[in-house]
Amino acid sequence: MRYVVAGAVLRERGGTTELLLAQRSYPEAVAGLWELPGGKAEDGEDLADALRRELLEELEITVEVGAGLAERVVLRDDLTMLARWARILRGTPHAVEHRGLRWVGPDDLERMARTGELVPADEVWVPELAAVLRDD
Ligand code: CDP
């Protein structure tokens, strides 16, 4: 089994918590849709290490990786996706591979889910993400 590990990167802004979303530039089927940034772990690679590597490559940020979100997504027979909470230790996110980046609160996130602006596989995390964005 191989894993895709996505990052639920949070920041505090003016007393509210925001989540980082990244807009895919490929493939055609999901180009323009927004996702939790991340990528495939190498065989045998620790998942937190994989997420740190992917976010450094894709966004030029160094993150601290926390606990996992509850849901896992089966993308294919041999590919499962999971997500971990993360916070930026160093750097400002830049869209190296993505079309764009944005920070969202719970209302934005839920609206984007309703209007089909999120990558479909990531929709499963919206309730947990929105709850944490509201609670923090
Ligand atoms: O660059 P590569 O396509 O190998 O990896 P990726 O873009 O990180 O994504 C691997 C797979 O996970 C693709 O099928 C993506 O669509 C999927 N993915 C996803 O559904 N949601 C994410 N937040 C990240 C990746």
Side-chain angles (χ1 to χ4, degrees):
M1 178 61 66
R2 299 205 55 189
Y3 294 94
V4 174
V5 55
V9 180
L10 301 180
R11 77 170 182 189
E12 307 300 327
R13 247 319 195 272
T16 67
T17 305
E18 295 176 329
L19 170 75
L20 182 62
L21 292 180
Q23 189 176 33
R24 288 204 65 113
S25 56
Y26 72 93
E28 187 65 33
V30 290
L33 300 181
W34 295 82
E35 68 174 5
L36 300 188
K40 289 195 189 82
E42 310 289 348
D43 279 329
E45 186 181 25
D46 176 80
L47 295 177
D49 289 344
L51 182 58
R52 280 191 289 271
R53 176 181 54 71
E54 287 284 350
L55 297 188
L56 189 58
E57 288 171 7
E58 290 184 359
L59 304 175
E60 300 178 327
I61 54 174
T62 300
V63 297
E64 171 182 61
V65 177
L69 278 72
E71 301 290 339
R72 287 174 168 226
V73 183
V74 176
L75 293 174
R76 299 193 312 243
D77 282 356
D78 60 342
L79 192 63
T80 295
M81 183 170 71
L82 47 84
R84 303 278 297 265
W85 298 106
R87 282 182 191 271
I88 298 175
L89 295 175
R90 282 190 299 281
T92 300
H94 294 286
V96 176
E97 295 174 8
H98 288 91
R99 198 175 279 178
L101 301 175
R102 63 186 292 193
W103 292 96
V104 298
D107 296 342
D108 285 336
L109 180 68
E110 287 173 338
R111 182 187 45 72
M112 292 171 77
R114 278 198 304 275
T115 55
E117 290 173 82
L118 300 183
V119 168
D122 292 29
E123 288 173 3
V124 67
W125 292 313
V126 169
E128 185 175 2
L129 291 165
V132 167
L133 292 170
R134 287 204 170 91
D135 263 359
D136 261 24

